[in-house]
Amino acid sequence: MSVGETAPVDDQTRETGKLLKRVPGRARPQKEALREFEKAVAELRQRYQPVFWPLFVPEPKDMFRWRVQLECGCTREVYTRGEDKYPDDRSYLDLITRCRLPSGEYWCTTDHGRTQKPYRDIVEWVDRKVTEFPADPEEPEYDWMDAEDWAKIRKPEPHSSAFWRVKLACGHYAQVCTDVDWKPENGPRLVSEERIEEIRRDFEESWAAEGHTGWPHEGPERDHIRKMIDLRWPRPEPERDCFTCTHVRRITGYQRIGWLVSKTSPAPAPSPNIDRKKIAARLAAAEAEVQRLRKQLDNPDDA
């Protein structure tokens, strides 16, 4: 796990430490982990000015090592700031969007085979970036597209598009392209009843001729097309396929490894030189004073 991939999670209702267990396998050598961590720290220091290092650059001495197990069975090593923080107290980084994942999720880099991306509702239009493009070329940009279809969508003049960062119902983030003048409060644009029937007929005829192998293949993507047809082909679409969902896994357990930098107990302070004769004299004087005071208490009339 790279440095700087975690952020604290503010969730007071979630029970922490409930996933402590023995995780299969063995931890890698401490020197190897420290070497990798220090390399990542050096890269972070080049990215940020020194004034920001306390905020964005962790110190190896503050980091505690854990082994975590994911629901897919894979194991990974992660760090927390201190031994009293648990791995599911952290929010890890989405390696594609660079946004934070929901707590308890972790990006698994293991290739688990091809998985179809599920579609998720868009729950928030976060922000956008406008990008300028030159005029489209006269010839089709795609090998599979003929000149007639290309002429219908080609933009002969320079143009702009807005790229929105959106939050999905699963808690992940994706990107959606819209016209520059579109705003979320406007709602999606719909095609006419006549046009949607043409679109429906074209797809149904294609699927009838090519069966399950027709584009898109039977599954989530074809279900999405059918849903968009029923909604009269809204633009932008109210849902988005989530690539992140195919790679993240829930954390199902974690086990302590230890501090990234070993903690050493402070050496005991050397005893100061003691003048035993002086201390003995002071003690004798104190005892004599105690005896005198006791006599006064026993014989108040003699005081």
Side-chain angles (χ1 to χ4, degrees):
M1 191 199 95
S2 64
V3 178
E5 286 188 359
T6 65
V9 176
D10 185 13
D11 185 355
Q12 301 298 325
T13 63
R14 187 164 49 81
E15 181 184 355
T16 60
K18 64 179 180 180
L19 299 180
L20 277 169
K21 59 180 285 188
R22 182 172 180 81
V23 175
R26 300 179 61 183
R28 58 182 173 163
Q30 181 184 19
K31 290 183 178 179
E32 178 183 334
L34 181 58
R35 183 168 56 250
E36 179 186 281
F37 192 93
E38 289 177 336
K39 179 181 178 181
V41 164
E43 294 174 355
L44 284 177
R45 286 176 175 162
Q46 292 180 349
R47 188 184 309 172
Y48 297 105
Q49 296 180 7
V51 67
F52 295 116
W53 288 0
L55 294 175
F56 300 109
V57 182
E59 292 288 342
K61 64 181 178 62
D62 298 329
M63 307 309 290
F64 195 82
R65 299 172 64 198
W66 298 80
R67 296 187 69 246
V68 301
Q69 185 172 26
L70 308 179
E71 60 182 322
C72 55
C74 296
T75 58
R76 296 289 184 269
E77 180 175 319
V78 302
Y79 307 106
T80 59
R81 290 181 183 269
E83 60 182 337
D84 57 342
K85 300 293 185 182
Y86 296 97
D88 54 348
D89 288 336
R90 317 301 297 173
S91 178
Y92 298 93
L93 196 65
D94 183 326
L95 300 186
I96 300 300
T97 66
R98 313 305 293 178
C99 296
R100 295 292 169 185
L101 296 171
S103 60
E105 292 186 355
Y106 192 83
W107 188 285
C108 182
T109 55
T110 302
D111 183 3
H112 291 289
R114 180 178 175 82
T115 304
Q116 289 187 311
K117 294 177 289 185
Y119 279 82
R120 310 296 192 193
D121 289 338
I122 296 173
V123 297
E124 182 182 356
W125 297 81
V126 182
D127 51 35
R128 73 172 195 170
K129 178 181 179 181
V130 175
T131 303
E132 305 290 336
F133 295 96
D136 292 336
E138 294 185 2
E139 297 298 324
E141 289 188 310
Y142 312 103
D143 295 337
W144 50 267
M145 183 175 290
D146 58 34
E148 183 179 353
D149 290 336
W150 175 247
K152 294 178 181 179
I153 65 172
R154 175 178 176 266
K155 297 183 183 299
E157 302 293 335
H159 54 282
S160 304
S161 292
F163 292 87
W164 285 84
R165 181 165 61 104
V166 298
K167 185 177 182 179
L168 307 179
C170 55
H172 305 145
Y173 291 83
Q175 188 179 78
V176 174
C177 179
T178 71
D179 294 335
V180 174
D181 60 351
W182 181 85
K183 298 178 181 179
E185 55 267 28
N186 297 342
R189 299 185 177 99
L190 307 178
V191 301
S192 66
E193 294 286 357
E194 294 77 10
R195 176 57 182 150
I196 199 59
E197 289 306 317
E198 292 178 1
I199 294 175
R200 187 191 306 274
R201 184 171 56 253
D202 289 344
F203 273 108
E204 293 296 346
E205 290 177 355
S206 173
W207 294 336
E210 301 181 32
H212 295 291
T213 61
W215 183 89
H217 293 178
E218 194 69 56
E221 195 167 356
R222 188 176 291 193
D223 292 340
H224 167 74
I225 293 293
R226 291 192 176 105
K227 181 178 180 179
M228 294 304 102
I229 291 175
D230 291 340
L231 294 175
R232 283 179 50 191
W233 213 248
R235 290 295 182 270
E237 297 175 350
E239 61 182 22
R240 189 76 168 86
D241 56 339
C242 183
F243 179 76
T244 301
C245 274
T246 65
H247 285 77
V248 297
R249 301 291 187 270
R250 298 291 302 177
I251 295 175
T252 58
Y254 38 76
Q255 179 181 358
R256 290 183 174 92
I257 299 176
W259 291 99
L260 180 59
V261 177
S262 299
K263 301 289 185 181
T264 55
S265 301
S271 301
N273 294 328
I274 298 176
D275 190 331
R276 301 185 66 85
K277 290 183 178 180
K278 288 184 178 180
I279 292 177
R282 289 171 58 189
L283 179 59
E287 290 174 343
E289 179 65 14
V290 170
Q291 291 296 327
R292 186 183 67 80
L293 293 174
R294 282 178 176 170
K295 288 181 180 180
Q296 289 182 359
L297 289 174
D298 294 338
N299 302 287
D301 295 337
D302 297 338

